[in-house]
Amino acid sequence: MELIGEIEDIIYKNDVNSYTIASLYSDSTDTIIVGYLPFVNKGDNVKLTGKFVNHPEYGEQFKVETFEKIMPESLDSLERYLANGSIKGIGPATAKKIVKKFREATIEIIKNEPEELTKIKGITKEKAEEISISFIENFELWQIVKYLEKFGITPASANTIYKKLGLNTIDKIEEDPYILCDLSLKVDFAQIDKMALSIGVEKSNLRRIGIGIKHALNLASINGHSCVLEGNLIIYVSKLLGIQEDDVVYGLKDLKSKEEIVVETREEIEDKDGRKNLSITNWIYLADYYAIEKNIANKIIGLEQYENIKQIKRLESKIEKVSNIKLSEKQKEAVEIINDNNVAIITGGPGTGKTTIIKTIIDLYKEEGKKVVLCAPTGRAAKRMTEATGEESKTLHRLLEIGKFADEKPDPEMEVTPIDGDVVIIDEVSMVDMFLMNFVLKGIFKGTKLILVGDTDQLPSVGPGSVLKDMIDSKRIPYITLNKIFRQAAKSKIIVNSHKVNDGIDFFEEDKQSQATIDDFIFLPEQNQIKVQEMILNMYSKDTQIITPTKKGELGTKALNKLLQEKYNPYEHYKSEKKFGESVFREGDKVMQTKNNYDIAWVRDLERGIGIFNGEMGQILQIDNQEGKIKIKFDDDKIAIYEVADLEQIEHSYAITVHKSQGSEFNEVIFPILNASTMLLTRNVLYTGMTRAKNKLIMIGSQKVIKYMINNAITKKRNTGLKYKLEMIGE
């Protein structure tokens, strides 16, 4: 429905995204309106489209979906608009004089005949020009939101677009609609393309083809790829744009000449059935992605080939001196590899002794008077590292003091804080994408030892690249794989069965032969999803983490979070809550941050900092609806204050997906597994979910589906070029 009226008061406005709570005077009544309202000020006349909703605390409100500003219809409202401070050079007194003098002709005079304003005492020719320019600028802002609506662009994004394009935004978009794609916004390419064609852009226009190619490469990066095979890209873009393949080839040449893409020609020897053939392929990169891969390869090889100035002499005797634990031969070999090289990779599953190696390295180098820096890609992984070693560990973002950047595509030229340490140990490296690894290597001095620790059988990074796997496969970086389960770990059914899954062995059939003595693993067969829900609700406790492969369906995170909140943190009159979208956030709720936010300030005792990152979990302590503030305490004891609009970055975390659980460890895990999308029913999803449990794992569901996952070892290969670049350096 529509509402037309005057903004009587701005109650709250988020300066970053323009989320607004305001009072609207319409048809002799006041209405509270909420929504994204960029460019709207007190005194503005607006036409709103949206619907009335009921807030549990504040009652009826009008939720704005889109809006447009309209010219004030009465002289009184026109005077209030001119006096609201949005037009330079006009205050309340001047507004009164202007409207009294020019009445219904006021707008026409200000826009087209500003020299007439000099007839009013106190308005010089220069001031009249300033008033006119400011009015016209504001008038354009009125049009932007409505204009962008036809491109499927929300009012929240309209503000960002205007900040980037400035005056004459609409003219610039009319001239080149594809400029919206260049702004790195989450825009709908198909809708923008449709609009461009409707205003006369030719299908074979080079600009259109270039944007289509870059759109396809961006889509590929969302799926983890850093590059695309030239032939596949040509076919895809040809179908996407409805043009000939030759036209796409011309588009590629044009982008290459502008240095917006890079074509990498790879000559590789393929071994098929014992026959070795030379394979020549062309891979297409966005220029930034190519530069990042090249930089990673050059930096990592440069680091490794630098003089080994941190090498410990008489290593074996020193290991005996500092280590309370007798190392296995494989662990000793790992320590030697670290000592003999500037860069080393240690991989292995749970219970194979990675933590013992890390502790030994810390003790060895501290004994030598060297500084060891511990870090991990996520807050939970860093906290886990601290608990395991007794030494402080930081997130990579915090260590490098990475500033704000767009999540999708950070600026590779961004500066980072150099890492002050003799030895840098990074855990959970399988989660590190190409962007983050690029920043890490920018922050490490030559001569520093870099130790990368991870498990290549877990899920790959969310962002593009396959950094750890490519480094290992290149055989240019010294590495060791730990594959022996230690005696203490072998007592755990969680660890034993996780390794069986990773080896493709059906642990149900092997269970009777298991040597495990700790009954920390339980499987409960159940085919009915509603019954599985009931079992989860009955077994859940505050120390339990539900991990599920999917977001959707009866056993997805959305449904389970709603049920768990209703049972374990229900509505109580003394608990404040806040409805946001389809979710109700309540004091006491378990929540997770779902994207990197570089602006949110936090405190921890006397320590202060900025930034809460994707995957960090905590609990809502307080909701202050009057101030529009939400206080959240995270698992590492950081306390942050969120604005209402920031709730779009928060979701409930009674149940989380396997992907979101990576890098974390929980005392007790309930892991429901029944039918889901076949893309999610894979061995590495099952393995990753199982290895999140520390003391107890309860799996509920279908034996048949679990067996299918054990046998489904097909992982989606990521198209990357880091392995190739590492192999080529020095060749």
Side-chain angles (χ1 to χ4, degrees):
M1 64 179 294
E2 284 185 353
L3 277 185
I4 296 175
E6 183 180 330
I7 301 293
E8 200 169 43
D9 190 25
I10 302 286
I11 299 165
Y12 165 80
K13 188 162 197 168
N14 184 307
D15 292 334
V16 177
N17 61 16
S18 300
Y19 182 82
T20 305
I21 303 169
S23 173
L24 181 83
Y25 184 73
S26 173
D27 295 332
S28 304
T29 59
D30 289 327
T31 303
I32 297 298
I33 62 170
V34 295
Y36 295 96
L37 298 168
F39 325 126
V40 169
N41 301 295
K42 182 180 177 180
D44 287 349
N45 284 248
V46 290
K47 180 164 75 173
L48 311 172
T49 304
K51 62 184 178 182
F52 279 100
V53 295
N54 236 322
H55 188 279
E57 190 167 343
Y58 298 118
E60 192 174 65
Q61 300 176 339
F62 189 79
K63 186 178 181 182
V64 181
E65 290 170 7
T66 188
F67 74 95
E68 62 177 311
K69 284 191 183 185
I70 55 176
M71 286 295 180
E73 293 181 354
S74 71
L75 293 180
D76 284 346
S77 61
L78 176 58
E79 184 185 320
R80 284 194 296 273
Y81 166 68
L82 293 176
N84 72 10
S86 60
I87 297 169
K88 289 177 185 174
I90 300 183
T94 306
K96 194 174 193 69
K97 290 177 188 175
I98 291 172
V99 173
K100 187 178 180 181
K101 172 81 175 169
F102 300 109
R103 300 187 64 77
E104 286 80 4
T106 296
I107 292 169
E108 182 65 24
I109 293 291
I110 294 174
K111 278 177 66 180
N112 300 317
E113 300 176 58
E115 64 277 2
E116 289 292 305
L117 295 173
T118 59
K119 293 178 179 177
I120 293 172
K121 189 177 179 182
I123 298 182
T124 62
K125 187 179 178 183
E126 290 76 15
K127 189 173 181 181
E129 285 290 326
E130 181 186 47
I131 289 169
S132 181
I133 290 167
S134 181
F135 182 88
I136 290 166
E137 181 179 335
N138 270 270
F139 185 77
E140 182 177 351
L141 296 183
W142 293 11
Q143 318 302 315
I144 287 174
V145 173
K146 190 68 180 172
Y147 176 77
L148 291 174
E149 188 186 354
K150 59 187 176 184
F151 290 94
I153 294 171
T154 63
S157 294
N159 194 26
T160 308
I161 290 168
Y162 177 72
K163 283 177 181 175
K164 291 191 176 185
L165 296 182
L167 277 176
N168 304 315
T169 288
I170 292 174
D171 291 343
K172 289 171 184 173
I173 296 169
E174 288 280 5
E175 189 179 327
D176 177 15
Y178 297 111
I179 199 170
L180 294 169
C181 299
D182 281 335
L183 296 177
S184 296
L185 296 160
K186 292 178 180 175
V187 294
D188 185 340
F189 169 79
Q191 201 156 0
I192 291 167
D193 190 45
K194 186 179 175 183
M195 286 298 300
L197 293 172
S198 74
I199 61 172
V201 174
E202 294 288 333
K203 276 193 169 186
S204 57
N205 179 289
L206 261 183
R207 168 73 167 149
R208 176 176 184 255
I209 296 168
I211 288 292
I213 290 168
K214 290 196 287 185
H215 171 67
L217 290 170
N218 276 317
L219 282 180
S221 75
I222 291 168
N223 289 315
H225 308 295
S226 63
C227 55
V228 177
L229 199 59
E230 183 180 48
N232 293 346
L233 182 64
I234 290 169
I235 293 167
Y236 178 83
V237 175
S238 167
K239 289 179 180 176
L240 175 74
L241 302 181
I243 56 176
Q244 297 296 314
E245 290 183 8
D246 284 349
D247 292 328
V248 183
V249 173
Y250 288 130
L252 288 169
K253 287 178 180 175
D254 183 57
L255 288 177
K256 186 181 176 185
S257 69
K258 294 173 181 173
E259 298 183 344
E260 292 183 44
I261 63 167
V262 174
V263 181
E264 181 176 71
T265 302
R266 298 181 196 165
E267 295 185 8
E268 298 171 284
I269 303 295
E270 284 187 344
D271 193 341
K272 287 188 177 178
D273 303 323
R275 290 184 175 183
K276 294 191 175 180
N277 299 309
L278 178 64
S279 163
I280 301 175
T281 51
N282 285 338
W283 294 86
I284 312 298
Y285 285 84
L286 289 166
D288 283 354
Y289 286 76
Y290 181 83
I292 287 170
E293 269 193 359
K294 193 173 180 183
N295 189 56
I296 292 171
N298 287 333
K299 284 284 180 75
I300 203 87
I301 295 296
L303 199 61
E304 167 52 19
Q305 291 180 344
Y306 194 76
E307 183 186 356
N308 187 3
I309 57 178
K310 302 291 186 337
Q311 190 171 33
I312 295 172
K313 307 298 180 187
R314 298 184 298 280
L315 178 67
E316 196 162 337
S317 63
K318 288 183 180 175
I319 291 175
E320 290 175 8
K321 182 182 175 184
V322 303
S323 182
N324 298 323
I325 303 166
K326 186 171 174 59
L327 301 183
S328 70
E329 290 306 312
K330 200 88 168 176
Q331 286 175 319
K332 281 183 186 175
E333 188 184 342
V335 173
E336 286 167 5
I337 286 172
I338 291 165
N339 190 49
D340 293 343
N341 299 277
N342 286 326
V343 183
I345 299 172
I346 311 297
T347 70
T352 55
K354 297 194 297 289
T355 302
T356 300
I357 292 168
I358 293 172
K359 284 180 179 175
T360 303
I361 293 299
I362 293 169
D363 292 340
L364 278 169
Y365 282 92
K366 281 176 76 174
E367 181 73 17
E368 294 279 307
K370 305 296 184 189
K371 183 178 179 182
V372 181
V373 174
L374 306 182
C375 49
T378 67
R380 290 190 70 88
K383 185 183 180 188
R384 210 173 115 197
M385 205 177 182
T386 298
E387 289 167 351
T389 63
E391 302 286 333
E392 184 190 14
S393 175
K394 294 182 178 180
T395 63
L396 288 168
H397 289 87
R398 190 171 157 218
L399 181 68
L400 297 166
E401 296 183 4
I402 294 175
K404 185 175 182 179
F405 57 75
D407 283 346
E408 301 84 11
K409 195 176 174 183
D411 177 8
E413 300 302 317
M414 186 174 65
E415 292 302 312
V416 302
T417 299
I419 301 172
D420 176 22
D422 299 294
V423 180
V424 177
I425 305 176
I426 308 177
D427 199 8
E428 299 286 358
V429 181
S430 62
M431 298 178 70
V432 176
D433 64 21
M434 60 191 289
F435 297 126
L436 197 47
M437 183 54 74
N438 183 46
F439 292 133
V440 167
L441 293 171
K442 283 177 78 169
I444 290 184
F445 294 108
K446 284 185 177 179
T448 301
K449 277 192 180 290
L450 176 62
I451 304 164
L452 305 174
V453 183
D455 185 347
T456 51
D457 295 312
Q458 288 189 34
L459 295 167
S461 60
V462 175
S466 186
V467 176
L468 183 63
K469 188 174 185 302
D470 281 358
M471 285 184 182
I472 292 170
D473 290 349
S474 74
K475 297 184 171 56
R476 293 300 302 275
I477 310 299
Y479 74 94
I480 186 167
T481 300
L482 306 171
N483 46 26
K484 179 191 172 185
I485 307 176
F486 281 86
R487 187 165 46 187
Q488 191 62 32
K491 294 177 182 178
S492 163
K493 270 193 181 180
I494 296 172
I495 291 175
V496 170
N497 286 343
S498 297
H499 280 272
K500 284 176 181 172
V501 165
N502 203 33
D503 293 335
I505 298 169
D506 180 351
F507 61 77
F508 293 112
E509 292 177 11
E510 296 278 325
D511 198 49
K512 290 177 183 176
Q513 303 166 29
S514 175
Q515 301 300 309
T517 56
I518 301 171
D519 201 12
D520 55 359
F521 176 93
I522 299 169
F523 173 71
L524 302 171
E526 180 52 67
Q527 300 291 331
N528 185 296
Q529 294 193 354
I530 303 302
K531 286 185 178 175
V532 173
Q533 283 184 348
E534 290 171 2
M535 292 166 77
I536 290 170
L537 287 171
N538 290 332
M539 288 187 288
Y540 180 84
S541 73
K542 66 176 183 179
D543 294 322
T544 307
Q545 183 59 56
I546 313 298
I547 296 177
T548 174
T550 180
K551 289 183 177 181
K552 299 175 183 176
E554 306 287 358
L555 298 178
T557 53
K558 289 185 178 178
L560 289 175
N561 273 317
K562 194 171 181 184
L563 289 170
L564 287 158
Q565 183 198 40
E566 284 171 4
K567 180 164 182 178
Y568 290 97
N569 192 31
Y571 169 76
E572 302 278 2
H573 68 88
Y574 57 85
K575 286 182 188 172
S576 290
E577 58 182 43
K578 181 71 187 172
K579 189 173 191 305
F580 192 88
E582 296 177 6
S583 301
V584 175
F585 293 98
R586 190 172 292 138
E587 289 175 350
D589 273 343
K590 287 175 71 173
V591 290
M592 172 187 276
Q593 177 79 15
T594 60
K595 59 174 74 170
N596 291 340
N597 186 317
Y598 301 83
D599 298 323
I600 291 184
W602 53 261
V603 296
R604 178 169 47 207
D605 296 326
L606 298 175
E607 186 184 4
R608 294 177 181 274
I610 293 176
I612 305 290
F613 300 104
N614 188 359
E616 294 198 51
M617 294 169 70
Q619 185 178 35
I620 296 177
L621 295 182
Q622 183 184 18
I623 297 175
D624 185 337
N625 281 307
Q626 231 173 357
E627 294 290 324
K629 309 282 187 187
I630 298 93
K631 183 189 283 189
I632 300 175
K633 182 177 183 179
F634 288 90
D635 288 349
D636 59 357
D637 296 327
K638 293 196 302 276
I639 294 177
I641 307 294
Y642 282 66
E643 304 280 353
V644 170
D646 296 326
L647 288 176
E648 66 177 0
Q649 306 166 22
I650 292 290
E651 62 184 35
H652 291 100
S653 64
Y654 299 97
I656 60 175
T657 61
V658 174
H659 284 79
K660 287 289 187 187
S661 75
Q662 195 164 355
S664 300
E665 190 175 59
F666 307 95
N667 284 327
E668 182 176 308
V669 168
I670 298 176
F671 192 7
I673 296 179
L674 275 170
N675 285 324
S677 163
T678 50
M679 285 176 60
L680 298 169
L681 299 180
T682 62
R683 183 186 294 175
N684 63 352
V685 168
L686 181 62
Y687 173 72
T688 302
M690 290 174 70
T691 53
R692 299 310 91 205
K694 185 178 180 182
N695 298 323
K696 192 169 188 179
L697 173 62
I698 302 170
M699 294 177 73
I700 313 172
S702 164
Q703 229 180 85
K704 185 179 176 182
V705 173
I706 291 171
K707 286 181 179 181
Y708 172 83
M709 293 175 81
I710 292 170
N711 292 320
N712 184 16
I714 300 168
T715 54
K716 197 172 179 184
K717 184 182 179 295
R718 292 190 167 191
N719 294 325
T720 64
L722 179 58
K723 171 180 176 285
Y724 178 78
K725 291 176 181 64
L726 286 166
E727 289 171 340
M728 289 300 103
I729 292 175
E731 290 294 318

